[in-house]
Amino acid sequence: MIITGAEAIIESLKNENVDVVFGYPGGAVLTLYDALYTSNFRHILTKHEQGAVHAADGYARATGKVGVVIATSGPGATNLVTGIATAYMDSIPLVAITGQVSVPLIGRDSFQEADIRGITTPITKHNYLVKKVEDLPGALKEAFYIARTGRPGPVVVDIAKDVFAASIDYQYPTEVKLRGYRPIYEGNMETINQVFAELKLARKPLIFVGGGVNLSDSSEALREFVEQTGFPVISSLMGLGCIPFDHPQYLGMVGMHGTYAANVATTECDLLLGIGVRFDDRVTGLLSDFAPKAKIIHFDIDPAEINKNVLAHLRVIGDLKWSIPALLHRVNDVSEVLKEQVHSWTEQVVRWYQENPVTYPQEADLVMPQTVVEKISRLTQGDAVIVTDVGQHQMWTAQFYGFTNPRSFLTSGGLGTMGYGLPAALGAQCGLPDRAVILFVGDGGFMMNCQELAIAADYNFPVKVLILNNQTLGMVAQWQRMFYGGRYSHTNIKGHTDFVKLAEAMGVKGLRVTKPEELGTVLEEALATPGPVVVDIRTPEMVDVLPMVPAGARLDQMIMGG
Amino acid sequence: MKHTLAVLVENKPGVLTHISGLISRRAFNIESIAAGYTEEPDTTRITIVVEGDEIEQEQVVNQLSKLVDVIKISDLTAVESIQRELALIKVKASVETRSDIINIVDIFRASIVDVNRETMVIELSGDETKIDALCQVLDDDHGIIEIARTGKIALSRGPIPAKDQ
Ligand SMILES: Cc1ncc(C[n+]2csc(CCOP(=O)(O)OP(=O)(O)O)c2C)c(N)n1
């Protein structure tokens, strides 16, 4: 089949079962867009390339498939950088196809030229510059393979403009041969035996689940492991949803804004099973005092995660899809013995959890942001896909939404990217048209990519955007309050923007909540409305996210609240 | 402690920058890095000397191993290996000092590869300390104008190549 490079890309996308791409056209990708014109391939035109890449990321997180984004050379490609870094930090499978100036112009500072390979090298799993059309199918095949296998991540395929137009006798490779890339799926059975031996010795064990459990779709097996052992469980931000919030052994989120029980249990435990976690500094607090009494067993598909931050006594390298069932297999027979030996510990930490719930002060005439999250949690029964932006509202969502399902909480955990939420929610809704997708966003972060609201109307993505509008850059203001003597340098963002009118101008229904008594009915109305809705919810300015472990402090040195 | 790593990579543009970039981004210190072709045309061998403790060293290896173009890494620190560096040293020389320099060169089993009225260029291969020692003597007694050193390359002893280790 003799076709153009552009057509070959579309064929390759079909071969990879890609059903939608997010993108924005421009000179270097004109030929590709011309091919899209007649191809019937689904393409979502965002308003900004950053919107496109976050949307592809949200799509990937919600569906488990590879997200695909297209951008032109130079400014188009550089507009992807934040989104690529966001996906990289959270291990999200993404393929970014960028146009590059044509081969004879490369390296001459030509119009709209940027070395996107060079720029994205530290924030991609791998990247390509395709200068010959013969290399195109192979590069795409490898890109998808690398993005989705092993520890997932973003891959950039930068394609010179003349490659799109060149013709090729197209054949999509059936297999990938990469000498330097061999993910370890099935690890060493001997380590499983060693873990098993440790489980039997443990008296104060703790299971710590992270984003890897979500990514590997292992939460079911994990739940069984939790139940068979009787061990208590804590979660990272990225692990929320893997264990239902109301599970009797669950102690909530650990770390900077974690629960008392999770943080103290971490400090007290004698065995910590880190499963698909990377021991981020927001989790560990003061590294040298993290889980000081515990032997740490680290489960990860990426060997480079072991001993990166926290020293592991035992490493279990391999896919969680292999390691958890393998361990479960051993545990089943001794389930009762294990439960018995940790019974009093589990009972004690669960009591800590019940006696020290995360709470907040109730104000009769103010709409407390935490109340909004709790109300949504009750209204949706944990069934919605919840997306957040970055800031206080993100942490309140993590604390007060009752997550019951994996892949139901999409948030920029690693990079903490403001502006992520709205486009990611749209991408998630695009991938899961029948699910309720709800975005919690701050008034600051909403403005960072609010242009994408237009997409919600244009494509009728029925996302519910709940702006927790405290008129400040809340999380930064909180740090200024706590650590900078209340000097609110440039965090007051009270302005003249009317979010309801903004929504309406974009073709989206806008609602507002200013009083507590309006909250219930407006939220119900928003959820019942078939199309997209923005709700501008006025919340008080000076509410803190608590509890809090100050950066660099020990996990049990928490500032409590409530 | 210093570690000598033999890193076999795909012979593709950009790989060397990728590797050196990754090491420096992770805040590890590169002592030296040397790259060249191998017995297989599509493979490049990069010899890297990094400074760090065991844990840091393990992280360097693990992080480098993640790169798709990295085929194999072997740590030659612990195994018996031959380690060499090449240096070209341009030293001040006059008619009067020339014979003294020739004496020094003989002692070090180095060779003279260029001579003119004011300078000589000396070539020496050997381990780092030997090259350091020659440079020291030449500089103290005659004055060095310019030095070019390759950085270390290394091969393990015995029949098994790094790619099969
Ligand atoms: C792109 C980007 N810029 C800056 C920051 C730093 N930052 C973290 S939270 C925050 C404030 C967020 O304010 P808002 O969106 O109103 O949410 P709130 O904290 O009030 O819920 C800022 C500025 C960031 N995370 N991302």
Side-chain angles (χ1 to χ4, degrees), chain B residues 105-135:
Chain B
V105 165
D106 282 345
I107 295 167
F108 279 89
R109 291 181 211 286
S111 51
I112 294 159
V113 291
D114 186 54
V115 182
N116 66 30
R117 293 204 55 232
E118 292 159 53
T119 65
M120 293 170 92
V121 176
I122 296 155
E123 176 191 315
L124 176 64
S125 78
D127 67 21
E128 197 185 342
T129 51
K130 180 173 170 183
I131 294 172
D132 287 346
L134 175 62
C135 291

PDB file of all heavy atoms in Angstrom, chain B residues 105-135:
ATOM      1  N   VAL B 105      60.549  11.129  29.398  1.00  0.00           N
ATOM      2  CA  VAL B 105      59.640  10.382  28.530  1.00  0.00           C
ATOM      3  C   VAL B 105      60.011   8.900  28.512  1.00  0.00           C
ATOM      4  O   VAL B 105      59.149   8.025  28.581  1.00  0.00           O
ATOM      5  CB  VAL B 105      59.671  10.990  27.104  1.00  0.00           C
ATOM      6  CG1 VAL B 105      59.035  10.041  26.080  1.00  0.00           C
ATOM      7  CG2 VAL B 105      58.947  12.336  27.091  1.00  0.00           C
ATOM      8  N   ASP B 106      61.309   8.623  28.483  1.00  0.00           N
ATOM      9  CA  ASP B 106      61.758   7.222  28.489  1.00  0.00           C
ATOM     10  C   ASP B 106      61.366   6.513  29.766  1.00  0.00           C
ATOM     11  O   ASP B 106      60.902   5.373  29.752  1.00  0.00           O
ATOM     12  CB  ASP B 106      63.273   7.150  28.316  1.00  0.00           C
ATOM     13  CG  ASP B 106      63.667   7.353  26.859  1.00  0.00           C
ATOM     14  OD1 ASP B 106      62.752   7.255  26.001  1.00  0.00           O
ATOM     15  OD2 ASP B 106      64.858   7.607  26.598  1.00  0.00           O
ATOM     16  N   ILE B 107      61.574   7.201  30.861  1.00  0.00           N
ATOM     17  CA  ILE B 107      61.237   6.582  32.156  1.00  0.00           C
ATOM     18  C   ILE B 107      59.760   6.197  32.215  1.00  0.00           C
ATOM     19  O   ILE B 107      59.399   5.131  32.685  1.00  0.00           O
ATOM     20  CB  ILE B 107      61.591   7.552  33.317  1.00  0.00           C
ATOM     21  CG1 ILE B 107      63.101   7.764  33.364  1.00  0.00           C
ATOM     22  CG2 ILE B 107      61.074   7.014  34.653  1.00  0.00           C
ATOM     23  CD1 ILE B 107      63.538   8.926  34.240  1.00  0.00           C
ATOM     24  N   PHE B 108      58.928   7.054  31.684  1.00  0.00           N
ATOM     25  CA  PHE B 108      57.483   6.779  31.717  1.00  0.00           C
ATOM     26  C   PHE B 108      57.006   5.900  30.558  1.00  0.00           C
ATOM     27  O   PHE B 108      55.832   5.627  30.432  1.00  0.00           O
ATOM     28  CB  PHE B 108      56.703   8.105  31.693  1.00  0.00           C
ATOM     29  CG  PHE B 108      56.606   8.767  33.043  1.00  0.00           C
ATOM     30  CD1 PHE B 108      57.563   9.650  33.494  1.00  0.00           C
ATOM     31  CD2 PHE B 108      55.521   8.467  33.878  1.00  0.00           C
ATOM     32  CE1 PHE B 108      57.468  10.252  34.744  1.00  0.00           C
ATOM     33  CE2 PHE B 108      55.414   9.071  35.118  1.00  0.00           C
ATOM     34  CZ  PHE B 108      56.392   9.962  35.567  1.00  0.00           C
ATOM     35  N   ARG B 109      57.925   5.500  29.723  1.00  0.00           N
ATOM     36  CA  ARG B 109      57.569   4.756  28.506  1.00  0.00           C
ATOM     37  C   ARG B 109      56.503   5.493  27.694  1.00  0.00           C
ATOM     38  O   ARG B 109      55.547   4.914  27.181  1.00  0.00           O
ATOM     39  CB  ARG B 109      57.051   3.346  28.830  1.00  0.00           C
ATOM     40  CG  ARG B 109      58.126   2.449  29.369  1.00  0.00           C
ATOM     41  CD  ARG B 109      57.571   1.053  29.656  1.00  0.00           C
ATOM     42  NE  ARG B 109      58.268   0.423  30.762  1.00  0.00           N
ATOM     43  CZ  ARG B 109      59.500  -0.073  30.661  1.00  0.00           C
ATOM     44  NH1 ARG B 109      60.156  -0.043  29.524  1.00  0.00           N
ATOM     45  NH2 ARG B 109      60.088  -0.624  31.712  1.00  0.00           N
ATOM     46  N   ALA B 110      56.667   6.783  27.635  1.00  0.00           N
ATOM     47  CA  ALA B 110      55.795   7.593  26.789  1.00  0.00           C
ATOM     48  C   ALA B 110      56.494   7.780  25.454  1.00  0.00           C
ATOM     49  O   ALA B 110      57.590   7.244  25.263  1.00  0.00           O
ATOM     50  CB  ALA B 110      55.549   8.941  27.454  1.00  0.00           C
ATOM     51  N   SER B 111      55.880   8.497  24.528  1.00  0.00           N
ATOM     52  CA  SER B 111      56.611   8.746  23.295  1.00  0.00           C
ATOM     53  C   SER B 111      56.428  10.198  22.854  1.00  0.00           C
ATOM     54  O   SER B 111      55.450  10.853  23.210  1.00  0.00           O
ATOM     55  CB  SER B 111      56.177   7.772  22.202  1.00  0.00           C
ATOM     56  OG  SER B 111      54.782   7.794  22.100  1.00  0.00           O
ATOM     57  N   ILE B 112      57.410  10.609  22.087  1.00  0.00           N
ATOM     58  CA  ILE B 112      57.378  11.984  21.604  1.00  0.00           C
ATOM     59  C   ILE B 112      56.775  11.958  20.210  1.00  0.00           C
ATOM     60  O   ILE B 112      57.211  11.204  19.347  1.00  0.00           O
ATOM     61  CB  ILE B 112      58.795  12.569  21.575  1.00  0.00           C
ATOM     62  CG1 ILE B 112      59.298  12.673  23.013  1.00  0.00           C
ATOM     63  CG2 ILE B 112      58.810  13.930  20.889  1.00  0.00           C
ATOM     64  CD1 ILE B 112      60.779  12.745  23.138  1.00  0.00           C
ATOM     65  N   VAL B 113      55.737  12.735  20.017  1.00  0.00           N
ATOM     66  CA  VAL B 113      55.065  12.688  18.727  1.00  0.00           C
ATOM     67  C   VAL B 113      55.226  13.958  17.917  1.00  0.00           C
ATOM     68  O   VAL B 113      54.857  14.004  16.757  1.00  0.00           O
ATOM     69  CB  VAL B 113      53.561  12.336  18.883  1.00  0.00           C
ATOM     70  CG1 VAL B 113      53.391  10.892  19.351  1.00  0.00           C
ATOM     71  CG2 VAL B 113      52.865  13.284  19.845  1.00  0.00           C
ATOM     72  N   ASP B 114      55.806  14.987  18.539  1.00  0.00           N
ATOM     73  CA  ASP B 114      56.049  16.213  17.768  1.00  0.00           C
ATOM     74  C   ASP B 114      57.112  17.035  18.485  1.00  0.00           C
ATOM     75  O   ASP B 114      57.161  17.083  19.708  1.00  0.00           O
ATOM     76  CB  ASP B 114      54.755  17.034  17.654  1.00  0.00           C
ATOM     77  CG  ASP B 114      54.931  18.235  16.732  1.00  0.00           C
ATOM     78  OD1 ASP B 114      55.368  18.020  15.579  1.00  0.00           O
ATOM     79  OD2 ASP B 114      54.651  19.364  17.164  1.00  0.00           O
ATOM     80  N   VAL B 115      57.966  17.637  17.690  1.00  0.00           N
ATOM     81  CA  VAL B 115      59.006  18.490  18.268  1.00  0.00           C
ATOM     82  C   VAL B 115      59.129  19.732  17.405  1.00  0.00           C
ATOM     83  O   VAL B 115      59.073  19.647  16.178  1.00  0.00           O
ATOM     84  CB  VAL B 115      60.385  17.785  18.256  1.00  0.00           C
ATOM     85  CG1 VAL B 115      61.444  18.679  18.903  1.00  0.00           C
ATOM     86  CG2 VAL B 115      60.342  16.440  18.943  1.00  0.00           C
ATOM     87  N   ASN B 116      59.252  20.897  18.025  1.00  0.00           N
ATOM     88  CA  ASN B 116      59.740  22.061  17.284  1.00  0.00           C
ATOM     89  C   ASN B 116      60.656  22.877  18.181  1.00  0.00           C
ATOM     90  O   ASN B 116      61.010  22.417  19.279  1.00  0.00           O
ATOM     91  CB  ASN B 116      58.585  22.843  16.658  1.00  0.00           C
ATOM     92  CG  ASN B 116      57.699  23.485  17.699  1.00  0.00           C
ATOM     93  OD1 ASN B 116      58.159  23.841  18.786  1.00  0.00           O
ATOM     94  ND2 ASN B 116      56.430  23.618  17.385  1.00  0.00           N
ATOM     95  N   ARG B 117      61.000  24.090  17.811  1.00  0.00           N
ATOM     96  CA  ARG B 117      62.049  24.807  18.534  1.00  0.00           C
ATOM     97  C   ARG B 117      61.636  25.163  19.952  1.00  0.00           C
ATOM     98  O   ARG B 117      62.457  25.277  20.848  1.00  0.00           O
ATOM     99  CB  ARG B 117      62.468  26.063  17.764  1.00  0.00           C
ATOM    100  CG  ARG B 117      63.174  25.702  16.446  1.00  0.00           C
ATOM    101  CD  ARG B 117      64.088  26.822  15.982  1.00  0.00           C
ATOM    102  NE  ARG B 117      65.065  27.208  16.982  1.00  0.00           N
ATOM    103  CZ  ARG B 117      65.264  28.466  17.392  1.00  0.00           C
ATOM    104  NH1 ARG B 117      64.552  29.433  16.870  1.00  0.00           N
ATOM    105  NH2 ARG B 117      66.182  28.731  18.296  1.00  0.00           N
ATOM    106  N   GLU B 118      60.354  25.333  20.197  1.00  0.00           N
ATOM    107  CA  GLU B 118      59.936  25.763  21.536  1.00  0.00           C
ATOM    108  C   GLU B 118      59.147  24.728  22.313  1.00  0.00           C
ATOM    109  O   GLU B 118      58.944  24.869  23.516  1.00  0.00           O
ATOM    110  CB  GLU B 118      59.061  27.023  21.423  1.00  0.00           C
ATOM    111  CG  GLU B 118      59.826  28.234  20.959  1.00  0.00           C
ATOM    112  CD  GLU B 118      58.867  29.260  20.369  1.00  0.00           C
ATOM    113  OE1 GLU B 118      57.900  29.619  21.058  1.00  0.00           O
ATOM    114  OE2 GLU B 118      59.068  29.661  19.210  1.00  0.00           O
ATOM    115  N   THR B 119      58.598  23.725  21.596  1.00  0.00           N
ATOM    116  CA  THR B 119      57.718  22.772  22.294  1.00  0.00           C
ATOM    117  C   THR B 119      57.982  21.353  21.855  1.00  0.00           C
ATOM    118  O   THR B 119      58.609  21.098  20.819  1.00  0.00           O
ATOM    119  CB  THR B 119      56.231  23.067  21.987  1.00  0.00           C
ATOM    120  OG1 THR B 119      56.020  22.832  20.592  1.00  0.00           O
ATOM    121  CG2 THR B 119      55.829  24.464  22.364  1.00  0.00           C
ATOM    122  N   MET B 120      57.463  20.438  22.685  1.00  0.00           N
ATOM    123  CA  MET B 120      57.400  19.026  22.293  1.00  0.00           C
ATOM    124  C   MET B 120      56.007  18.534  22.678  1.00  0.00           C
ATOM    125  O   MET B 120      55.433  19.012  23.652  1.00  0.00           O
ATOM    126  CB  MET B 120      58.419  18.190  23.068  1.00  0.00           C
ATOM    127  CG  MET B 120      59.850  18.526  22.712  1.00  0.00           C
ATOM    128  SD  MET B 120      60.975  17.728  23.860  1.00  0.00           S
ATOM    129  CE  MET B 120      61.296  16.227  23.003  1.00  0.00           C
ATOM    130  N   VAL B 121      55.503  17.555  21.891  1.00  0.00           N
ATOM    131  CA  VAL B 121      54.232  16.936  22.278  1.00  0.00           C
ATOM    132  C   VAL B 121      54.506  15.481  22.641  1.00  0.00           C
ATOM    133  O   VAL B 121      55.161  14.759  21.885  1.00  0.00           O
ATOM    134  CB  VAL B 121      53.174  17.028  21.163  1.00  0.00           C
ATOM    135  CG1 VAL B 121      51.900  16.279  21.568  1.00  0.00           C
ATOM    136  CG2 VAL B 121      52.867  18.489  20.843  1.00  0.00           C
ATOM    137  N   ILE B 122      54.020  15.098  23.806  1.00  0.00           N
ATOM    138  CA  ILE B 122      54.275  13.760  24.333  1.00  0.00           C
ATOM    139  C   ILE B 122      52.984  12.994  24.412  1.00  0.00           C
ATOM    140  O   ILE B 122      51.953  13.559  24.805  1.00  0.00           O
ATOM    141  CB  ILE B 122      54.910  13.878  25.736  1.00  0.00           C
ATOM    142  CG1 ILE B 122      56.275  14.554  25.595  1.00  0.00           C
ATOM    143  CG2 ILE B 122      55.046  12.520  26.409  1.00  0.00           C
ATOM    144  CD1 ILE B 122      56.708  15.239  26.839  1.00  0.00           C
ATOM    145  N   GLU B 123      53.068  11.744  24.023  1.00  0.00           N
ATOM    146  CA  GLU B 123      51.877  10.894  24.095  1.00  0.00           C
ATOM    147  C   GLU B 123      52.110   9.845  25.161  1.00  0.00           C
ATOM    148  O   GLU B 123      53.164   9.226  25.218  1.00  0.00           O
ATOM    149  CB  GLU B 123      51.673  10.218  22.732  1.00  0.00           C
ATOM    150  CG  GLU B 123      50.530   9.236  22.707  1.00  0.00           C
ATOM    151  CD  GLU B 123      50.519   8.398  21.430  1.00  0.00           C
ATOM    152  OE1 GLU B 123      50.698   8.949  20.327  1.00  0.00           O
ATOM    153  OE2 GLU B 123      50.352   7.167  21.562  1.00  0.00           O
ATOM    154  N   LEU B 124      51.100   9.661  26.005  1.00  0.00           N
ATOM    155  CA  LEU B 124      51.220   8.625  27.036  1.00  0.00           C
ATOM    156  C   LEU B 124      49.886   7.960  27.233  1.00  0.00           C
ATOM    157  O   LEU B 124      48.859   8.629  27.332  1.00  0.00           O
ATOM    158  CB  LEU B 124      51.677   9.251  28.363  1.00  0.00           C
ATOM    159  CG  LEU B 124      51.746   8.290  29.554  1.00  0.00           C
ATOM    160  CD1 LEU B 124      52.779   7.196  29.344  1.00  0.00           C
ATOM    161  CD2 LEU B 124      52.050   9.050  30.842  1.00  0.00           C
ATOM    162  N   SER B 125      49.912   6.624  27.288  1.00  0.00           N
ATOM    163  CA  SER B 125      48.681   5.948  27.707  1.00  0.00           C
ATOM    164  C   SER B 125      48.993   5.191  28.980  1.00  0.00           C
ATOM    165  O   SER B 125      50.116   4.749  29.201  1.00  0.00           O
ATOM    166  CB  SER B 125      48.161   5.021  26.612  1.00  0.00           C
ATOM    167  OG  SER B 125      48.910   3.846  26.594  1.00  0.00           O
ATOM    168  N   GLY B 126      47.989   5.070  29.818  1.00  0.00           N
ATOM    169  CA  GLY B 126      48.221   4.379  31.077  1.00  0.00           C
ATOM    170  C   GLY B 126      47.095   4.673  32.012  1.00  0.00           C
ATOM    171  O   GLY B 126      46.077   5.243  31.612  1.00  0.00           O
ATOM    172  N   ASP B 127      47.261   4.285  33.247  1.00  0.00           N
ATOM    173  CA  ASP B 127      46.182   4.622  34.157  1.00  0.00           C
ATOM    174  C   ASP B 127      46.333   6.072  34.604  1.00  0.00           C
ATOM    175  O   ASP B 127      47.363   6.722  34.386  1.00  0.00           O
ATOM    176  CB  ASP B 127      46.066   3.611  35.303  1.00  0.00           C
ATOM    177  CG  ASP B 127      47.257   3.650  36.219  1.00  0.00           C
ATOM    178  OD1 ASP B 127      47.970   4.675  36.234  1.00  0.00           O
ATOM    179  OD2 ASP B 127      47.475   2.653  36.930  1.00  0.00           O
ATOM    180  N   GLU B 128      45.302   6.536  35.220  1.00  0.00           N
ATOM    181  CA  GLU B 128      45.190   7.945  35.549  1.00  0.00           C
ATOM    182  C   GLU B 128      46.382   8.450  36.367  1.00  0.00           C
ATOM    183  O   GLU B 128      46.938   9.517  36.090  1.00  0.00           O
ATOM    184  CB  GLU B 128      43.892   8.082  36.342  1.00  0.00           C
ATOM    185  CG  GLU B 128      43.359   9.455  36.463  1.00  0.00           C
ATOM    186  CD  GLU B 128      42.138   9.479  37.375  1.00  0.00           C
ATOM    187  OE1 GLU B 128      41.532   8.409  37.627  1.00  0.00           O
ATOM    188  OE2 GLU B 128      41.799  10.565  37.841  1.00  0.00           O
ATOM    189  N   THR B 129      46.803   7.641  37.348  1.00  0.00           N
ATOM    190  CA  THR B 129      47.859   8.108  38.247  1.00  0.00           C
ATOM    191  C   THR B 129      49.183   8.260  37.520  1.00  0.00           C
ATOM    192  O   THR B 129      49.955   9.181  37.793  1.00  0.00           O
ATOM    193  CB  THR B 129      48.039   7.129  39.430  1.00  0.00           C
ATOM    194  OG1 THR B 129      48.186   5.817  38.899  1.00  0.00           O
ATOM    195  CG2 THR B 129      46.858   7.171  40.361  1.00  0.00           C
ATOM    196  N   LYS B 130      49.422   7.363  36.582  1.00  0.00           N
ATOM    197  CA  LYS B 130      50.666   7.449  35.824  1.00  0.00           C
ATOM    198  C   LYS B 130      50.691   8.731  34.989  1.00  0.00           C
ATOM    199  O   LYS B 130      51.711   9.441  34.934  1.00  0.00           O
ATOM    200  CB  LYS B 130      50.786   6.208  34.909  1.00  0.00           C
ATOM    201  CG  LYS B 130      52.032   6.200  34.079  1.00  0.00           C
ATOM    202  CD  LYS B 130      52.151   4.868  33.336  1.00  0.00           C
ATOM    203  CE  LYS B 130      53.264   4.935  32.318  1.00  0.00           C
ATOM    204  NZ  LYS B 130      53.375   3.710  31.521  1.00  0.00           N
ATOM    205  N   ILE B 131      49.566   9.021  34.352  1.00  0.00           N
ATOM    206  CA  ILE B 131      49.501  10.239  33.530  1.00  0.00           C
ATOM    207  C   ILE B 131      49.641  11.477  34.420  1.00  0.00           C
ATOM    208  O   ILE B 131      50.365  12.418  34.093  1.00  0.00           O
ATOM    209  CB  ILE B 131      48.185  10.263  32.716  1.00  0.00           C
ATOM    210  CG1 ILE B 131      48.222   9.111  31.702  1.00  0.00           C
ATOM    211  CG2 ILE B 131      48.004  11.601  32.011  1.00  0.00           C
ATOM    212  CD1 ILE B 131      46.933   8.891  30.960  1.00  0.00           C
ATOM    213  N   ASP B 132      48.959  11.421  35.568  1.00  0.00           N
ATOM    214  CA  ASP B 132      49.074  12.544  36.513  1.00  0.00           C
ATOM    215  C   ASP B 132      50.541  12.775  36.893  1.00  0.00           C
ATOM    216  O   ASP B 132      51.018  13.910  36.959  1.00  0.00           O
ATOM    217  CB  ASP B 132      48.274  12.254  37.791  1.00  0.00           C
ATOM    218  CG  ASP B 132      46.783  12.359  37.550  1.00  0.00           C
ATOM    219  OD1 ASP B 132      46.381  12.905  36.500  1.00  0.00           O
ATOM    220  OD2 ASP B 132      46.011  11.886  38.413  1.00  0.00           O
ATOM    221  N   ALA B 133      51.239  11.658  37.138  1.00  0.00           N
ATOM    222  CA  ALA B 133      52.627  11.773  37.596  1.00  0.00           C
ATOM    223  C   ALA B 133      53.518  12.406  36.522  1.00  0.00           C
ATOM    224  O   ALA B 133      54.332  13.291  36.799  1.00  0.00           O
ATOM    225  CB  ALA B 133      53.161  10.386  37.974  1.00  0.00           C
ATOM    226  N   LEU B 134      53.330  11.971  35.281  1.00  0.00           N
ATOM    227  CA  LEU B 134      54.134  12.550  34.192  1.00  0.00           C
ATOM    228  C   LEU B 134      53.841  14.051  34.042  1.00  0.00           C
ATOM    229  O   LEU B 134      54.748  14.869  33.911  1.00  0.00           O
ATOM    230  CB  LEU B 134      53.850  11.806  32.878  1.00  0.00           C
ATOM    231  CG  LEU B 134      54.541  12.403  31.640  1.00  0.00           C
ATOM    232  CD1 LEU B 134      56.068  12.362  31.776  1.00  0.00           C
ATOM    233  CD2 LEU B 134      54.127  11.679  30.364  1.00  0.00           C
ATOM    234  N   CYS B 135      52.560  14.365  34.070  1.00  0.00           N
ATOM    235  CA  CYS B 135      52.188  15.776  33.936  1.00  0.00           C
ATOM    236  C   CYS B 135      52.840  16.616  35.031  1.00  0.00           C
ATOM    237  O   CYS B 135      53.338  17.727  34.782  1.00  0.00           O
ATOM    238  CB  CYS B 135      50.672  15.935  34.019  1.00  0.00           C
ATOM    239  SG  CYS B 135      49.805  15.244  32.604  1.00  0.00           S
TER     240      CYS B 135
END
